[in-house]
Amino acid sequence: MSADKKLANQIWLKAAETRAVMEALEAEGGTARFVGGCVRNSLLGEPVTDVDIATTETPDRAQALLEAKGIKVIPTGIEHGTVTAVAEGRHFEITTLRVDVATHGRHADVEFTEDWVEDAKRRDFTMNALYADKDGTLHDPLGGQDDLQARLVRFIGDPRERIREDYLRILRFFRFHAWYGKGEPDAASLKACADEKEGMKQLSGERIRVELFKTLTADEAPAAFRQMAASGVLTEVLPEASKLDRFENLVRIERDQLFTADPSPVLRLGAMLDLDKAGVDALADRLKFSNKDRERLTAMLTDTTKIVCYLSMREVRRALYNMGLELFKNRVMLGWASEKPDHNAFQWRAMLAMADSWEKPQLPLDGAMMKAAGVPEGPEMGRVYREVEEWWVDSDFTDDEFSIIERLKAVVQATIY
């Protein structure tokens, strides 16, 4: 195993809580190394969010060593060799070196080992089988650095074997290519994904949704979804995706014109769908959407408000009042993405800017005013309020109290109590 390079200066690597966890794990002669995403992203200059650690210590020993130093330990997957250390509010997932004895789709029977190469071989992609000591010294048992430098997402060993260990790795392949890959996907890995795609029927809807959402927010998501479609993978997990052109346009708008820092996977998903409420419900049930995501997707795909780039400012204010900010912006984005991204771009951007600066007005009409006008208490108050409100919206939210009271009187006079 080579160890010929060090990670550049990393805040997470030098943090006191990181050092405390690593020193605890090595306190009695064991070895601990950072592994996976934190090493990969550091080498790429990408943000590091999760810090995973591999160790030669058994889970019970790791827990005892950490607790002896006053570090909280959560036995998150101790039967599979994993515990989570919590130091200064930061979570560290710590896994004992393992070798698979038998696999059962998502889970495997494992034996603990002290062989770093064997541990590396059971991981998914070469770029994820990179390790680093606490001082940043790199260890690369399977050539992951070369693949990482080439931006090549490649399965370790036989792609089919890796996929059969967990069919979610098919979707992970496309997700990692969208985030970290460059150029055409690895041919052998892509063919294996296509050949093994029916195995994804075993996957839960929740696991599929999580992986799709992670892929959707990548800048290169359109290419990944095109590759998923060409290989037949998309038909297995998201056959409803009928508008990939609109999805591609939306991503280009967010990336190149709006410079969106935190794109919404729900909006991006909505861009590739053409469903009625029943269709959204079926999709949401299958992929276990939250109620919030289900409602947002339903609204953006079924709302019938006319949204075009040439709406007047008055029409925009009315739409915002009736639809709410989120739905209005979703509909604007879908409308813009239905055209070419540079077509009417100024007008679409202006509508979004108006929405962001808009404050919802409040109709200056209360119960006391309606009682004074002769409206009886009860449901009739709500009906009268809504009728005056409709007029008020049509009047572009006048703040003239005299006009509002006159309209209230007119509504009351037209009603026989």
Side-chain angles (χ1 to χ4, degrees):
M1 182 182 301
S2 64
D4 55 0
K5 186 177 178 182
K6 282 192 174 185
L7 294 179
N9 188 29
Q10 298 287 323
I11 294 175
W12 66 268
L13 183 69
K14 297 183 178 300
E17 61 271 21
T18 305
R19 294 199 307 270
V21 169
M22 295 294 278
E23 288 168 4
L25 291 170
E26 295 188 335
E28 295 190 9
T31 303
R33 290 174 179 158
F34 304 109
V35 65
C38 59
V39 182
R40 178 196 66 232
N41 283 24
S42 294
L43 290 170
L44 290 173
E46 300 279 351
V48 171
T49 53
D50 300 319
V51 178
D52 295 340
I53 299 169
T55 180
T56 54
E57 298 286 6
T58 64
D60 290 337
R61 285 284 299 149
Q63 182 170 350
L65 289 166
L66 290 161
E67 290 177 341
K69 297 296 184 180
I71 297 171
K72 179 182 177 182
V73 179
I74 305 169
T76 44
I78 198 164
E79 68 277 11
H80 301 295
T82 301
V83 297
T84 299
V86 184
E88 301 295 329
R90 183 160 202 164
H91 288 61
F92 300 83
E93 188 171 281
I94 301 161
T95 303
T96 303
L97 302 190
R98 297 174 293 180
V99 58
D100 290 341
V101 177
T103 58
H104 316 283
R106 180 179 179 183
H107 297 296
D109 295 332
V110 298
E111 288 182 354
F112 301 135
T113 181
E114 293 187 359
D115 189 327
W116 291 88
V117 175
E118 289 302 315
D119 182 77
K121 286 180 179 177
R122 68 177 301 278
R123 297 180 182 273
D124 50 9
F125 310 119
T126 57
M127 64 171 57
N128 289 338
L130 294 168
Y131 303 81
D133 294 331
K134 63 177 180 289
D135 67 354
T137 300
L138 282 169
H139 298 269
D140 180 9
L142 302 176
Q145 289 184 72
D146 291 339
D147 285 345
L148 188 63
Q149 186 174 5
R151 295 280 188 162
L152 178 66
V153 182
R154 183 168 63 87
F155 281 104
I156 292 169
D158 184 343
R160 286 174 177 77
E161 289 183 12
R162 295 290 81 74
I163 289 170
R164 288 169 186 170
E165 290 164 359
D166 184 356
Y167 285 100
L168 192 71
R169 285 176 170 172
I170 293 175
L171 297 182
R172 281 174 61 83
F173 173 76
F174 291 101
R175 192 244 295 186
F176 272 75
H177 185 70
W179 279 101
Y180 306 113
K182 186 177 181 180
E184 291 300 312
D186 176 63
S189 298
L190 186 62
K191 186 176 189 306
C193 290
D195 291 346
E196 299 291 334
K197 62 182 181 293
E198 289 193 9
M200 292 188 295
K201 289 183 171 66
Q202 308 173 20
L203 299 174
S204 69
E206 182 178 8
R207 294 186 78 208
I208 291 172
R209 183 200 74 238
V210 169
E211 203 61 40
L212 288 175
F213 274 27
K214 289 178 179 178
T215 309
L216 281 163
T217 53
D219 281 349
E220 299 304 322
F225 275 87
R226 285 290 185 190
Q227 291 149 359
M228 289 167 67
S231 63
V233 168
L234 193 60
T235 301
E236 294 291 337
V237 293
L238 194 64
E240 298 90 345
S242 62
K243 287 187 169 290
L244 290 181
D245 286 346
R246 185 169 71 175
F247 165 63
E248 291 175 353
N249 286 343
L250 179 78
V251 174
R252 293 201 337 251
I253 290 166
E254 290 186 323
R255 183 187 63 204
D256 301 336
Q257 301 214 39
L258 301 178
F259 309 107
T260 304
D262 188 21
S264 163
V266 179
L267 174 59
R268 288 190 171 188
L269 176 63
M272 65 173 68
L273 303 177
D274 183 15
L275 299 174
D276 58 13
K277 185 180 184 305
V280 174
D281 283 340
L283 174 62
D285 288 343
R286 190 177 79 243
L287 297 187
K288 310 300 181 187
F289 281 26
S290 68
N291 288 337
K292 180 180 178 181
D293 289 347
R294 178 196 296 260
E295 290 165 5
R296 182 179 180 187
L297 196 59
T298 300
M300 76 172 77
L301 293 178
T302 62
D303 178 75
T304 57
T305 307
K306 182 181 179 181
I307 300 295
V308 291
C309 67
Y310 49 82
L311 290 180
S312 67
M313 294 179 66
R314 179 172 181 159
E315 289 171 320
V316 168
R317 287 190 288 268
R318 177 188 300 175
L320 279 164
Y321 186 85
N322 290 328
M323 299 169 70
L325 179 62
E326 180 181 76
L327 176 56
F328 176 82
K329 292 181 70 173
N330 288 342
R331 287 290 316 283
V332 168
M333 290 299 296
L334 294 185
W336 188 356
S338 296
E339 303 180 355
K340 293 180 179 179
D342 57 352
H343 190 223
N344 297 316
F346 177 82
Q347 291 94 324
W348 290 116
R349 278 200 303 268
M351 289 171 65
L352 292 171
M354 284 181 62
D356 285 331
S357 63
W358 178 75
E359 293 184 13
K360 185 174 182 176
Q362 179 66 44
L363 172 61
L365 179 64
D366 58 26
M369 294 167 67
M370 287 191 283
K371 281 183 184 179
V375 182
E377 291 189 22
E380 198 65 11
M381 273 202 168
R383 188 197 67 78
V384 170
Y385 183 94
R386 288 189 295 273
E387 190 167 335
V388 175
E389 181 185 37
E390 185 177 345
W391 165 85
W392 177 67
V393 172
D394 286 341
S395 73
D396 201 20
F397 313 102
T398 179
D399 58 0
D400 181 0
E401 187 172 319
F402 176 79
S403 297
I404 293 170
I405 291 173
E406 287 299 304
R407 182 63 185 182
L408 171 63
K409 290 177 180 178
V411 171
V412 172
Q413 289 171 3
T415 304
I416 299 176
Y417 296 113

